[in-house]
Amino acid sequence: MAKYKFLLTLLFAVIAQTMWAQGKVISGTVEDAMGPIMMANVVERDANNRIVSATQTDMMGNFSMEIKNPKNKLVFSYVGNKTKIVNIGTQTTFKIKMESENTTVSEVVVKGRRTSSGGLNIDKREISVSQQTFSMDKVDGMAFTSADEALQGEIAGLDIVSNSGNLGAGTSMRLRGVSTLSGNAEPLIVVDDKIFEYDKADFDPENIDEEAFSSLLAVSVDDIADIKVLKDAAATAIWGSQGANGVIMITTKRGARGKPKVTLGYKFTGTWMPKGYDLLNGDNYTMMLKEEFYNPTQSSSATSTINEINYIPAESWAEANNWNKNTDWVKEIKQFGEQHEANFNISGGGQKATFRISGSYSHQLGTIIKQKMDRLTTRLVLDYNVSDRIRFSTNFALTYTDNLKNYTYGSSKSSGSHNNLLAMALAMAPNASIYRMDQYNNNTGEYFLMNPTVNGMTPDDGNYTSSQLSDIVAIGNPVAYANNSWQKEKTYSIVPDFNIKYELLGTENGKTRLTFNGRVYFDIYAYSKPTYMPGSLSNGSYTDSDYNFITNTENNQFKMGSRVELIFTPAFKNEDFYLTMLARYEAGTQKNTYQYIGQNAIPNGIESATIDAHLLSMDNQPSTTKSAWQDFVYNAHFSYKSRYTLGFSLRGDGNSKFGPKNPWFISPSVSLRYNLSEEKFFEPLRKVVSMLGIRGSWGITGSSSVSVDNYFNQYTSRAGRYGTGYYTTMSGMKLDDLRPQKKTGLNLGFNLGLFEDMFEFDLNLYKENTKDLIMQRLPIPTSATWNTSTTLSYGNVGEMENKGWELSVTANKFIKVKKFSVSASVNLAQNVNKLLEMDQRVLDNLNSQPSWSNRGSKSILSRVVVGDPLCSIYGFQNLGVFQYTYDYLTNYNTKQLQLQTQAAARGETYDWNYEAWINQQLAEGKTFPVATDEEGKVIMTNTGVPKHLTYYYGDTEYEFKGGDAIYEDVNHDGTVNELDIKYLGNSLPKMQGGFSFTLQYGNWKLISRFNFRWGNKIINTARMGLESMYGTENQCSSVTYRWRKDGDVTQIPRALYGTGYNYQVSSRFVEDGSFLRFNNLQISYSVPKKQIKKLGLSTLSAYVTMNNLFCWTKYTGIDPEIASGTYTPASDGATTPRSKSITASLSFGF
Amino acid sequence: MKWVMALLLTSCVDTVILPDNKTVDEDYWQKKSEVDAVVGAAYAQLRDEAAIRNMIIWGDFRSDELVVTSTLPTSAAYRTALQQIYSCNIETENAFTSWYPFYSAINYCNLVLEKAEGVIAVDPDYTRGDYDANKAQMLALRSFCYFYLTKVFHDIPVTPGAYLNSSDDLNAPQANPDSVLTMCINDLEEASKYAIAGNTYGDWRDKGYLNQDGINAILADIYLWRGSVNRDASDYEACVKYCDKVIQAKKEAYEQNPRRRWSADDQEKDYYLSEYNTMYNDIFGQTGQNADESIFELQFRNANVTNRGLDQMYFRYNNASSNGYGYLKAASIYGKVDQTGNGVWVNSVDQRLYEYLYDATSSNTEQFGVRKFVATSTAGTSNSADSKRDTRASIPQNWILYRLTDVMLMKAEALVQLYNMGGKAEGDTRNEEAFAICKFINDRALSDANKGSYAMKYSVYRDKMEDLVLAERARELCFEGKRWFDLMRYNYRHTETKADLRKKLSEGYVMNSDVFFELALRKYAVPTAMKAKMRDERYLYMPINQDEVEINTSLVQNPVYKSASKY
């Protein structure tokens, strides 16, 4: 609307001008040192600086025009020259000599600058809340796909963990820990004061089997000026019901007055995957499998029918040459990834208008084959000053991404559960061939597709793969998958906004000002993801659900909002007082549509997701969601002599997501700051201590991510038939009393600046309490239900606490020797999470007994315990591997008893005490599967034999044997069961942070950035699979140290196909995930101005950056950067690790 | 703060948004058909797998009728739960303690009762009369559910209305059986005012929906139950009254519509029942069901929906192709013809023997497959082998809740109790009337040729007649979820002290009678061992599910049961 109004006004103005043209005519010439100026602007302005009439000079620099009023001014301007203003008066001819504008500013030190904070301009020294700003200048030339990568390790208390090394996978961000159990735990992202979010209502982060789309991709890193992270509740309270997870405010670059500046940049990044696990080759694999099949049955014919591992000659089996290879599957799917990024921006403007236009295009190839992402972003920023009082501005951003991903079949394929190519390659049988080999071992050029398995069938029975290898068949050929199947994720986003600013009172600082801001904004977003899985990858029949299977997911969002605000800054006679306040009203609506379809039985070769075929599945999830919101904000800032500061804000949120019963959420906040360093008595110290401030704040924020649908009683018509008539069912209760989660935060902060703020310390202590935690599936009495579901979809169930501290230190050029300078920054943070209270019914529901029939990674025991932090890991304590079998003891005893008998026959005495001998052996450190007491002594049964240690959990009792994993029998009852499960650690880091150094020498600059996490535990489920020796999937080379015979001392249990309990979640797979990562090392050189001026350039810089150079860690997996769920522990399922990369970039400015 | 609130109230954007991808309450309740669709949902709740399964477990498996099939694999899902019930060591986690389908049916009934009246004003096609008919059905169905639950659990929560909002108090308080039964009787009598006649439609709806006949049958059942516990003549009289209403209505309906069974040469009868050779097809057969002599059946057949609960219990435990492996089989007493009265059957020409059981007269079998409901058509007058069951992929088999012979035998049971009650038997013909009913039912099931070979013996003694009625009910209504409640009524009539329905189980109980044990424990090898585990009234009721007790804190568990974690 604002735009149309503006155009209309302009139109009227022009009409008015032609109609009222009258009065006197003036003329003149314009020139500068070089001579007459063509196309110089000559403008007549009135007292309010509004343009009344205008003209331009001709080729000779002459102009003439009719003026409206002799009291007006004439303004002469030309790009590159200083603007000249002349009063008209009675003069009729003008000879104007313009001077060139010297734009080079050596070094501007701005002191006491008031910066924008939540709509108000506040001096940095008066900021009473906890926030930290990161300027993107610091990482110029580095190759980041999105802003979160740039922030990693830079912000105290913001824990950023990359989701995976796949393109566009994004990161998982946690500010001051997790304070929610369901819904989104990510901080709110605000771009240019606009909430940037893609509605993921009813999106359960615990159940994602795939990476969600990283929405931050829509903001080009090159367009970002700075990023401000709002941490405490007082700072985030003005974002009210959405600010509970913290707020990341991104400000994009705008145009500046001056000659048009053009910057061109190009970046090249080469990426590669860090070295991962050493796997078995084909020969070692078949050896291991033979042992694995032999061990449970001890039968000599255990593997006789498994042709695949028997190196059958090709004459007797057609498939033989496909199963005798040494394929390194991981190597086959890895590649050297290239990323090219080109960007340009042009900015400039004059008195009337400033602009910035930018565009960037990037093309990336992943570290795994067939991953490719293209992205185009453009942004247009225009500010137009109608007069000193009125300014229109617009910001128009457009992003397109096209992400070609590997196909995942987590849910569509019943047999397998791998959802990433790397995990498939790790598990795939290394003796299988990539391409089909004929009987003479010639490569036929087609991918090897394994024969199907049928229970009990062997290759000798027909075209089958041995049924023992069903795991392998379920995985399929990773190379074939990568090349023949795909997912094409595409997004479009258009984000325009239109603003008007009107100064109702004074126009400059020092006068009482009242400013009106109006804004209309839109956010249009389209997402589509077709996938295709051709029948050529399936060994099933034409009618199988995954044969020629296509799916399509579409998601569209339209968001529209408008905002009006008034900012009032009274001028006090006593300039020690400063007060500024803001009142704002905002309203908007949003609509999302979502659709998913899956089809199969399509003809070969057709990949279109819209073909008429058998409709296999269609999502009945919310296909359309609507929401509407409105909010009021009042924010005030008062300070006296910059010594005492008081901040206050109040926000009222009305949102359809809160439900009809609680339509409003009120977020108040108060913050105070006292700058001791501004006191008179402090003056002598000020040379050393330039700033000493103490801050305190309190505030309330909220969060709610429940879909609107839950606030209504929903009916499903034609749910079924009773008799011949259809009936309608009710899907459940209306959640009329659901409230947003309410977080109350207290923050105590200290600011210290030394030596003119060369060293700055910022310390924050906080305590945050989240009440009314929203949790899914709240149990209710069955006497109140409408169907088999005995839960409410959501409920407010508990309370959680996060306590911690953050310290950030910056040292700006603290070493300065001539041209050489060093800057550094360090930040540290610690957060302690505790669940204070939780509805017992919900706990019971969450902490259901695990089913131990699904062993291994599937049975991670996730427990939520009141009084404990979330994301804790529970399992057995692993104590190594039993060196000896039970029979070893029995046999030894029998032999000794024989000796005793023989000795007695000879009349000699032969001392033999079975129990004492076992205890002696145990004391020597030998291990047997026998029950022991608290002192480690063997427990003997009443028949005089040692009690056999057993595993008895849920199903049948199993007696441990030599070579089995030892699990601590915590209660010494001779049985390892659920009572022996222990707390093994927690996935939340005890401390995390980062540090960076910047060394500068003249035009040379070296930046190094590090980040670290310390004290977090990870369940290495990848290694669990790679050392299980339970199925037929490939294993890690460490299994060659497996237990084979009595007496072997090793940490790796024996191979057992389909039996045993050797790879339960135990301390063996729980690893310390601490790491220190050398994130970036950048060397840059900007060519001195003098040298490039001849080339017509204003700047020329070159950068070389090495990313993820080293990672110091004890973690044995590929990369310890693994995010935990909101309450489940971190588990490493062999997702693509963060790649290592090197970037070279060039930037030209004209 | 005040001005802020004022500003908030005058906000100009409506943040209450109706979702347009869902049918919500605000959009519903506009049309007659919408009311009818929710009425259907209420009945459909009871068709739930768990409801039918539980009716079989609660009504039949607990009694002397059924045992667990000996061929049940160890991995079968309900094996442990069934064993607990069989050995009377029921834990409160037992899978058969769930009552949700009954309460969800109650919820739908309440929903119609709350919302349907508003439709009259909106839809001119929906008249006050339509509403009254719907109301009658819903009141009756709700009463049926409450009555069933109180027979199984004794003290049950009574919900205040349809649970529409999460802010409602979801913890409904527990009520004693006396107040539950009084409520049911009041509701049914109210419903009786508006209910439509039993032959209104002439199609499945006459049996699928509760009408005047169904309401009267439920009332008779409730009065018989309450009368047996309270040993109260007025209750028995009320039972007889309502039974007569049903019998009369059935008779009139039949005579008004002379169809298959009553040709011109047939004489007028008191009761019109199918003959022995067509009765299975009429009542249970694949082409029959919703028979003339039926009153209330849960409709699976017309909707072509598999009766999964029935399927699991009597046909295939895992609903798959393993024919002949239901969880339950009939106990040995059901397979033997024993004229001395120690078995169920006294006559080998009793057609029901062949229709209701597989391998019925095989002497070396310890348990017998249930044929009733499972077989698609009549057996003829010989054994049908268990191994030769009909194979069918789905069983769209109606579950019968009331049929005429049930009501007739209820009347007989009440008459026997009224006979000689509190006075001399002289001139009292009620015993004879009861005998006539039993004989009529028995005779129709005997194959023609041998009808005379078995003569039912009339006795003037009330005890004998009581046993005779009970035995006839066992023959006629076996495997239909009735037997355990027959036995409980029998027990209540013979306990030393009279039980009190006004007391909750936690407040008092009576010891069970020996005559009850004699019958109820017939299927056990060592009945005395079981006797100790069932010594008092409380053991005859099921425990409330553990989850339920934990979530609804106002519930008091039946004191004789414990949670598995407490053992």
Side-chain angles (χ1 to χ4, degrees), chain A residues 524-828:
Chain A
I524 300 153
Y525 171 76
Y527 171 97
S528 76
K529 191 178 78 174
T531 72
Y532 177 56
M533 149 102 183
S536 63
L537 295 175
S538 159
N539 49 36
S541 70
Y542 181 72
T543 51
D544 274 14
S545 62
D546 56 357
Y547 193 93
N548 282 348
F549 179 59
I550 49 174
T551 73
N552 192 30
T553 311
E554 297 274 349
N555 184 9
N556 293 301
Q557 174 175 303
F558 178 78
K559 186 158 115 179
M560 188 174 92
S562 65
R563 168 197 284 184
V564 286
E565 71 183 15
L566 279 173
I567 299 169
F568 179 59
T569 313
F572 293 95
K573 271 187 186 155
N574 181 348
E575 290 194 347
D576 290 340
F577 291 102
Y578 179 68
L579 171 67
T580 178
M581 55 176 103
L582 166 152
R584 178 191 287 171
Y585 172 76
E586 186 170 350
T589 65
Q590 179 171 340
K591 184 169 178 167
N592 283 47
T593 59
Y594 172 90
Q595 190 176 40
Y596 165 86
I597 56 164
Q599 290 178 303
N600 73 336
I602 54 169
N604 283 334
I606 291 182
E607 300 179 0
S608 162
T610 50
I611 187 148
D612 244 1
H614 175 236
L615 186 62
L616 195 68
S617 51
M618 200 163 129
D619 211 317
N620 57 1
Q621 291 301 305
S623 55
T624 314
T625 50
K626 288 197 293 188
S627 65
W629 68 88
Q630 58 177 338
D631 54 74
F632 299 91
V633 178
Y634 172 75
N635 189 4
H637 169 86
F638 171 77
S639 72
Y640 173 67
K641 281 189 168 176
S642 275
R643 197 182 294 160
Y644 307 102
T645 305
L646 168 69
F648 173 76
S649 80
L650 180 74
R651 174 169 170 137
D653 264 300
N655 195 321
S656 53
K657 286 180 181 175
F658 305 158
K661 204 165 180 177
N662 304 295
W664 289 97
F665 184 88
I666 308 291
S667 321
S669 86
V670 181
S671 58
L672 299 161
R673 178 164 172 156
Y674 171 52
N675 284 338
L676 192 68
S677 53
E678 301 293 329
E679 294 282 3
K680 277 234 168 73
F681 63 79
F682 208 84
E683 235 158 77
L685 280 171
R686 220 171 272 168
K687 276 200 166 169
V688 182
V689 181
S690 46
M691 160 57 67
L692 183 58
I694 176 166
R695 289 178 280 120
S697 74
W698 170 90
I700 290 175
T701 51
S703 66
S704 179
S705 57
V706 174
S707 158
V708 180
D709 302 352
N710 292 292
Y711 300 113
F712 297 92
N713 290 117
Q714 298 164 25
Y715 293 81
T716 308
S717 54
R718 290 173 84 96
R721 280 198 298 157
Y722 183 72
T724 52
Y726 286 95
Y727 60 82
T728 295
T729 55
M730 166 99 95
S731 57
M733 260 180 261
K734 168 180 181 170
L735 302 183
D736 65 335
D737 61 346
L738 192 74
R739 301 175 297 277
Q741 297 181 151
K742 192 172 179 181
K743 180 154 137 181
T744 311
L746 281 171
N747 193 84
L748 184 62
F750 302 91
N751 289 78
L752 175 68
L754 299 176
F755 308 110
E756 307 252 300
D757 290 353
M758 181 190 281
F759 293 95
E760 284 183 290
F761 295 83
D762 187 350
L763 175 69
N764 286 291
L765 308 174
Y766 62 87
K767 184 167 175 269
E768 295 179 335
N769 213 321
T770 312
K771 278 193 182 124
D772 294 339
L773 280 174
I774 292 178
M775 188 68 205
Q776 279 162 304
R777 295 180 286 277
L778 174 71
I780 52 167
T782 52
S783 55
T785 57
W786 293 90
N787 46 45
T788 52
S789 155
T790 54
T791 55
L792 289 180
S793 45
Y794 292 94
N796 295 101
V797 297
E799 191 178 340
M800 181 160 36
E801 180 190 78
N802 280 291
K803 278 194 290 197
W805 57 267
E806 295 150 2
L807 173 67
S808 84
V809 181
T810 55
N812 190 22
K813 296 188 175 169
F814 65 101
I815 299 173
K816 233 175 167 177
V817 185
K818 289 181 183 169
K819 281 169 146 185
F820 179 74
S821 67
V822 181
S823 303
S825 71
V826 182
N827 71 77
L828 285 175

Side-chain angles (χ1 to χ4, degrees), chain A residues 1024-1146:
Chain A
M1024 192 185 275
L1026 289 170
E1027 287 184 357
S1028 65
M1029 291 183 287
Y1030 183 86
T1032 48
E1033 297 183 344
N1034 194 18
Q1035 304 287 292
C1036 187
S1037 63
S1038 60
V1039 304
T1040 49
Y1041 298 103
R1042 63 186 173 268
W1043 188 94
R1044 290 185 165 91
K1045 60 178 195 314
D1046 275 343
D1048 283 355
V1049 181
T1050 173
Q1051 289 299 310
I1052 309 288
R1054 63 191 178 135
L1056 275 182
Y1057 176 74
T1059 57
Y1061 303 88
N1062 285 339
Y1063 77 113
Q1064 308 272 288
V1065 174
S1066 71
S1067 55
R1068 183 174 150 212
F1069 303 112
V1070 176
E1071 297 187 33
D1072 187 350
S1074 307
F1075 69 86
L1076 168 62
R1077 188 189 302 278
F1078 194 165
N1079 233 343
N1080 312 97
L1081 174 65
Q1082 186 192 55
I1083 300 169
S1084 64
Y1085 177 70
S1086 36
V1087 185
K1089 290 238 159 67
K1090 286 174 197 163
Q1091 296 178 20
I1092 51 169
K1093 209 146 196 193
K1094 296 169 219 159
L1095 300 169
L1097 297 175
S1098 63
T1099 56
L1100 173 60
S1101 313
Y1103 310 81
V1104 175
T1105 316
M1106 277 156 282
N1107 304 308
N1108 192 10
L1109 207 51
F1110 293 109
C1111 185
W1112 291 274
T1113 180
K1114 283 183 192 161
Y1115 184 70
T1116 63
I1118 308 180
D1119 196 310
E1121 200 167 305
I1122 308 287
S1124 52
T1126 43
Y1127 55 86
T1128 50
S1131 82
D1132 176 5
T1135 50
T1136 315
R1138 256 182 77 162
S1139 50
K1140 293 179 183 291
S1141 63
I1142 182 160
T1143 306
S1145 69
L1146 270 178

Side-chain angles (χ1 to χ4, degrees), chain A residues 334-464:
Chain A
K334 270 188 188 179
Q335 70 174 11
F336 179 76
E338 288 175 25
Q339 305 184 356
H340 302 269
E341 190 192 322
N343 62 69
F344 91 97
N345 73 68
I346 172 162
S347 70
Q351 221 167 16
K352 281 279 116 183
T354 58
F355 68 94
R356 184 174 187 277
I357 301 168
S358 68
S360 84
Y361 176 75
S362 76
H363 173 79
Q364 308 187 1
L365 296 175
T367 53
I368 286 190
I369 55 172
K370 293 290 168 183
Q371 292 189 353
K372 192 181 87 175
M373 182 164 86
D374 290 282
R375 181 176 63 155
L376 175 71
T377 63
T378 65
R379 185 175 286 268
L380 166 74
V381 183
L382 184 69
D383 296 300
Y384 182 81
N385 298 309
V386 179
S387 73
D388 285 356
R389 293 190 182 278
I390 303 174
R391 181 163 83 186
F392 287 104
S393 55
T394 179
N395 195 329
F396 198 102
L398 188 145
T399 309
Y400 164 74
T401 63
D402 180 357
N403 196 353
L404 178 67
K405 295 165 134 185
N406 298 133
Y407 183 73
T408 61
Y409 56 95
S411 51
S412 71
K413 203 171 172 182
S414 52
S415 47
S417 63
H418 296 297
N419 52 21
N420 75 75
L421 207 62
L422 182 64
M424 284 169 75
L426 288 170
M428 185 59 197
N431 65 336
S433 174
I434 304 169
Y435 300 97
R436 174 169 292 283
M437 297 292 168
D438 68 11
Q439 67 179 110
Y440 308 109
N441 208 16
N442 295 321
N443 187 339
T444 61
E446 61 182 84
Y447 291 115
F448 174 46
L449 175 69
M450 286 153 277
N451 282 329
T453 55
V454 169
N455 207 9
M457 292 297 193
T458 70
D460 297 333
D461 298 324
N463 286 330
Y464 301 110

Side-chain angles (χ1 to χ4, degrees), chain B residues 249-268:
Chain B
K250 278 281 164 193
K251 186 170 187 253
E252 280 168 14
Y254 196 89
E255 284 169 357
Q256 279 163 19
N257 181 20
R259 283 187 301 168
R260 298 170 303 215
R261 307 286 158 252
W262 195 42
S263 55
D265 53 319
D266 259 349
Q267 42 186 300
E268 199 180 320

Side-chain angles (χ1 to χ4, degrees), chain B residues 79-133:
Chain B
R79 192 182 158 88
T80 325
L82 289 169
Q83 278 169 344
Q84 282 181 10
I85 293 173
Y86 189 74
S87 57
C88 203
N89 290 324
I90 309 171
E91 287 166 1
T92 52
E93 283 86 358
N94 193 293
F96 298 107
T97 55
S98 167
W99 58 30
Y100 82 80
F102 290 90
Y103 276 104
S104 50
I106 291 169
N107 235 349
Y108 279 101
C109 292
N110 285 331
L111 181 65
V112 175
L113 292 171
E114 283 171 27
K115 298 274 186 180
E117 199 168 9
V119 180
I120 301 172
V122 189
D123 184 4
D125 280 351
Y126 192 65
T127 61
R128 173 68 54 182
D130 291 332
Y131 168 69
D132 285 343

